[in-house]
Amino acid sequence: MSLVVVGSVALDSVETPANGRRDDVLGGSAVFFSYAASFFTPVCLAGVIGEDWPPEHLKMLRDRNIDTAGLQTIAGGKTFRWSGRYAQNMNDRETLSLNLNVMAQFDPVLPEHYRKCQFLFLANGATEIQMRVMDQCPGAELVVADTMDHWIVNDRENVLKMLKRVNGLVLNDSEARLLTGDENLVRAGRDVLRLGPRFVVIKKGEHGAMFFSQHETYVLPAFPTCQVVDPTGAGDCFAGGMMGYLAEQGNVESKTLKQALAYGTIVASFCVEDFSLDRLRQIDRASIDRRMAEYRQMLTF
Amino acid sequence: MSLVVVGSVALDSVETPANGRRDDVLGGSAVFFSYAASFFTPVCLAGVIGEDWPPEHLKMLRDRNIDTAGLQTIAGGKTFRWSGRYAQNMNDRETLSLNLNVMAQFDPVLPEHYRKCQFLFLANGATEIQMRVMDQCPGAELVVADTMDHWIVNDRENVLKMLKRVNGLVLNDSEARLLTGDENLVRAGRDVLRLGPRFVVIKKGEHGAMFFSQHETYVLPAFPTCQVVDPTGAGDCFAGGMMGYLAEQGNVESKTLKQALAYGTIVASFCVEDFSLDRLRQIDRASIDRRMAEYRQMLTF
């Protein structure tokens, strides 16, 4: 199945307590997502960049079978920049600066071949934009969105509209609590289901992910890794691994969905092991399958 | 295998944000542990109580095949009391008051038949006492201890001595970080192994538990429950389910250990569903096995 992702493309500056800092490294939700998905399937990426975007990034993405026809360049513009600092626990982070730059004008007009996609992922971004993207892909069989505290708090009405239109929602634990007002994640997940989506995935970072549908509730733990260098993008890699696997399999049966969550978990576990895409660039599908075998073994008793 | 637990016996007063409060309900690490273990095996409980201890509690424990020969009553003494308040998230809690009462004089002298036990669990308590109990059970094949931030901070030297003598250690995530100074739980677990025990279990509350031995590292998630009324005692029930299952099986092979962790997880998931032992008193081994089947299903993909 063809897979399209629309989201941010960024240059990140990241400070970590134990592994130093990196400046202006490749980031953004759509970039992490599409790289993760590309282990499984071709991906069409839509986003926006400025003229300062290093051309080698584009080449790297294309070499991964990532279609960048939907990546607009704004003349004279600057690429979206985020900088943040991780706390000692590598879970909490502080945003040091955020410059939307070209993202402020982002109004994606998808190339014709993107509009025929079967699977669509709306990475974190303005909810109105997410809905305008959906309008452009009327034939999509599976539409999954991510969202964020900012939109839940400041654009709740649109988030609720969006939830009535998507098939799946991926969000993190604090966002699920914020959206539903319930501290208990099992109840929160079920509450989100009532808002529209057919399935909901709550990401719990180092503690794994929870899945909710009408007939199923389950939790899968994160793959334990001792090498947590930079968690930036792990949630997007989780979603990319999940959607990439679903697109590869070409169905969204409940069995395939659970396998997809497991693949998302494994790709995310690699992502955190270095800055930016650095660790993912060292591995291949076989590395993922080897870790998946260990993961299955871990959960068998 | 015969199983002995030594630890606190308490009367707890618990305030919760959504389910009101309960005063002077049955609690204490050795009580939760032994009730949880009693689903699997007879248990010998050692602890101390005051004259204010309601006699019906004793009857209830004995009806569960829990040997209370090692439960000393201090004439004129008052039972250990703890009172606490849970935060909205049901994870953080604040101790409102703590009266050691008879626990301050607790120096267990185990009955003769306890001393021949094969499996021994040292529930949370003063580290010196834990070691004096070990001295009394020289033939124990499996000695597992719990510990707590208080002892790690204020009695580190003894904690390190104790770790060289036990086969297993069960502690929670913040305690593992405190003991090792490492925020990453995978590294922290492996660091604790180097201090002596053959295996280490890190309890992560609602996020499950991690296991470490020389050749194995794994994580099992908690069983997702939407009915979290009172988490008091869940960690002790986890340990009780784990040790009870091991004693029932009569071996500590790595396969049995993993099953034991899963059983601990399931018993703990029932414990949190009501105050004190109230939920556990409504269930039987078949309830545990039914939930275990769901749990296995949840982790199969």
Side-chain angles (χ1 to χ4, degrees):
Chain A
M1 300 276 177
S2 53
L3 173 62
V4 167
V5 57
V6 185
S8 62
V9 178
L11 295 173
D12 292 341
S13 296
V14 184
E15 277 181 54
T16 67
N19 295 283
R21 60 175 295 148
R22 291 290 172 91
D23 289 307
D24 290 332
V25 292
L26 180 55
S29 58
V31 169
F32 282 109
F33 178 98
S34 54
Y35 200 100
S38 72
F39 288 105
F40 305 94
T41 187
V43 198
C44 299
L45 183 161
V48 64
I49 51 177
E51 278 189 350
D52 56 345
W53 177 255
E56 65 266 26
H57 292 335
L58 204 60
K59 180 177 181 316
M60 188 274 290
L61 295 172
R62 286 180 180 153
D63 287 348
R64 291 289 306 179
N65 216 355
I66 296 169
D67 186 337
T68 56
L71 193 58
Q72 300 168 243
T73 306
I74 305 273
K78 289 186 79 175
T79 301
F80 173 45
R81 273 178 168 74
W82 172 80
S83 96
R85 183 194 292 142
Y86 283 90
Q88 200 66 39
N89 65 16
M90 293 307 286
N91 223 352
D92 302 321
R93 73 181 188 191
E94 182 190 354
T95 289
L96 299 174
S97 69
L98 190 136
N99 295 300
L100 284 177
N101 298 328
V102 294
M103 274 292 278
Q105 305 146 253
F106 186 41
D107 190 7
V109 178
L110 300 185
E112 206 50 49
H113 64 289
Y114 279 43
R115 297 178 182 228
K116 295 177 188 137
C117 71
Q118 290 148 312
F119 284 15
L120 174 63
F121 188 77
L122 306 162
N124 180 25
T127 316
E128 282 196 63
I129 302 284
Q130 290 180 317
M131 290 195 283
R132 283 212 286 278
V133 170
M134 272 192 267
D135 294 337
Q136 296 174 48
C137 303
E141 291 166 31
L142 179 73
V143 181
V144 180
D146 195 343
T147 190
M148 205 173 150
D149 48 2
H150 177 77
W151 313 111
I152 295 171
V153 172
N154 301 303
D155 197 19
R156 194 176 183 88
E157 206 173 316
N158 273 322
V159 169
L160 294 175
K161 267 190 214 168
M162 183 266 285
L163 286 177
K164 295 209 182 306
R165 297 183 57 190
V166 297
N167 305 107
L169 182 72
V170 174
L171 76 178
N172 73 32
D173 44 3
S174 61
E175 291 158 358
R177 290 181 170 120
L178 198 60
L179 180 58
T180 63
D182 201 321
E183 284 284 334
N184 180 286
L185 290 178
V186 180
R187 286 196 305 261
R190 290 179 187 160
D191 287 349
V192 181
L193 278 187
R194 277 180 222 114
L195 299 175
R198 198 153 50 80
F199 69 85
V200 174
V201 178
I202 299 182
K203 297 174 288 179
K204 306 196 296 170
E206 63 168 320
H207 302 301
M210 304 179 81
F211 176 89
F212 303 87
S213 68
Q214 200 192 340
H215 299 295
E216 277 190 302
T217 296
Y218 56 77
V219 189
L220 293 178
F223 183 87
T225 173
C226 58
Q227 193 189 342
V228 179
V229 172
D230 174 14
T232 309
D236 302 307
C237 285
F238 171 87
M242 179 185 97
M243 292 293 289
Y245 181 76
L246 288 174
E248 182 196 49
Q249 297 298 308
N251 74 74
V252 284
E253 289 165 19
S254 79
K255 188 180 146 194
T256 317
L257 265 168
K258 201 192 261 190
Q259 289 165 344
L261 253 78
Y263 272 104
T265 297
I266 298 303
V267 179
S269 77
F270 282 110
C271 170
V272 304
E273 294 179 344
D274 207 342
F275 287 95
S276 183
L277 295 171
D278 292 3
R279 182 73 178 108
L280 292 180
R281 292 179 72 177
Q282 296 172 335
I283 65 164
D284 57 14
R285 174 69 183 263
S287 324
I288 292 171
D289 284 325
R290 273 194 301 275
R291 190 171 280 190
M292 176 62 84
E294 279 182 66
Y295 185 62
R296 278 184 197 276
Q297 180 59 38
M298 178 179 110
L299 298 177
T300 305
F301 52 86
Chain B
M1 301 276 178
S2 53
L3 173 61
V4 167
V5 57
V6 185
S8 63
V9 178
L11 295 172
D12 292 341
S13 294
V14 183
E15 278 181 54
T16 68
N19 296 283
R21 58 175 296 147
R22 293 290 173 92
D23 289 307
D24 291 332
V25 293
L26 181 55
S29 58
V31 168
F32 281 110
F33 178 98
S34 54
Y35 200 99
S38 72
F39 288 105
F40 305 94
T41 188
V43 199
C44 300
L45 184 162
V48 65
I49 52 176
E51 277 188 352
D52 56 345
W53 175 257
E56 65 266 26
H57 291 336
L58 204 61
K59 180 178 181 317
M60 188 273 291
L61 295 174
R62 285 180 182 154
D63 287 348
R64 292 289 306 177
N65 215 353
I66 296 169
D67 187 337
T68 57
L71 193 58
Q72 301 168 242
T73 306
I74 305 272
K78 292 187 77 174
T79 302
F80 173 44
R81 272 176 168 75
W82 172 80
S83 98
R85 185 194 290 141
Y86 283 90
Q88 200 65 39
N89 67 15
M90 294 304 288
N91 223 351
D92 301 322
R93 74 180 187 192
E94 181 190 353
T95 289
L96 299 174
S97 68
L98 190 135
N99 296 302
L100 283 178
N101 298 329
V102 295
M103 274 291 278
Q105 306 146 252
F106 186 42
D107 190 7
V109 177
L110 300 186
E112 204 50 48
H113 63 289
Y114 279 43
R115 297 177 183 229
K116 294 175 188 139
C117 71
Q118 288 147 314
F119 284 16
L120 173 63
F121 188 76
L122 306 163
N124 180 25
T127 316
E128 281 195 64
I129 302 284
Q130 292 181 317
M131 289 196 283
R132 283 212 286 276
V133 169
M134 272 192 268
D135 293 337
Q136 296 174 49
C137 304
E141 290 165 32
L142 179 73
V143 181
V144 180
D146 195 344
T147 190
M148 205 174 153
D149 48 2
H150 177 77
W151 313 112
I152 295 170
V153 172
N154 301 304
D155 196 19
R156 195 177 183 87
E157 206 174 315
N158 273 322
V159 169
L160 295 176
K161 268 190 214 167
M162 183 266 285
L163 287 176
K164 294 209 182 306
R165 296 184 56 189
V166 297
N167 305 107
L169 181 72
V170 173
L171 76 178
N172 74 30
D173 45 2
S174 62
E175 292 158 356
R177 289 180 170 122
L178 198 59
L179 180 57
T180 62
D182 201 322
E183 284 284 333
N184 181 287
L185 290 178
V186 180
R187 285 196 306 260
R190 290 178 187 162
D191 287 349
V192 181
L193 278 187
R194 277 181 222 113
L195 299 175
R198 197 151 52 82
F199 69 84
V200 175
V201 179
I202 298 181
K203 298 175 288 182
K204 304 196 297 169
E206 64 167 322
H207 301 301
M210 305 179 82
F211 176 90
F212 302 87
S213 67
Q214 200 192 340
H215 298 296
E216 276 191 304
T217 296
Y218 57 76
V219 189
L220 293 177
F223 183 87
T225 173
C226 57
Q227 194 190 340
V228 180
V229 172
D230 174 15
T232 310
D236 302 307
C237 285
F238 172 86
M242 178 184 98
M243 291 293 290
Y245 181 77
L246 288 175
E248 181 195 49
Q249 297 298 307
N251 73 74
V252 283
E253 288 164 20
S254 78
K255 190 180 146 195
T256 316
L257 266 167
K258 201 192 260 191
Q259 289 165 344
L261 254 78
Y263 271 105
T265 298
I266 297 304
V267 179
S269 77
F270 282 110
C271 170
V272 303
E273 293 179 345
D274 207 341
F275 286 96
S276 181
L277 296 170
D278 292 2
R279 183 73 178 110
L280 292 183
R281 292 179 70 175
Q282 297 172 335
I283 65 163
D284 57 15
R285 174 67 183 265
S287 324
I288 292 172
D289 285 325
R290 274 195 300 278
R291 190 170 280 191
M292 176 61 85
E294 279 183 67
Y295 185 63
R296 278 183 197 276
Q297 180 58 38
M298 178 180 111
L299 298 177
T300 304
F301 51 86

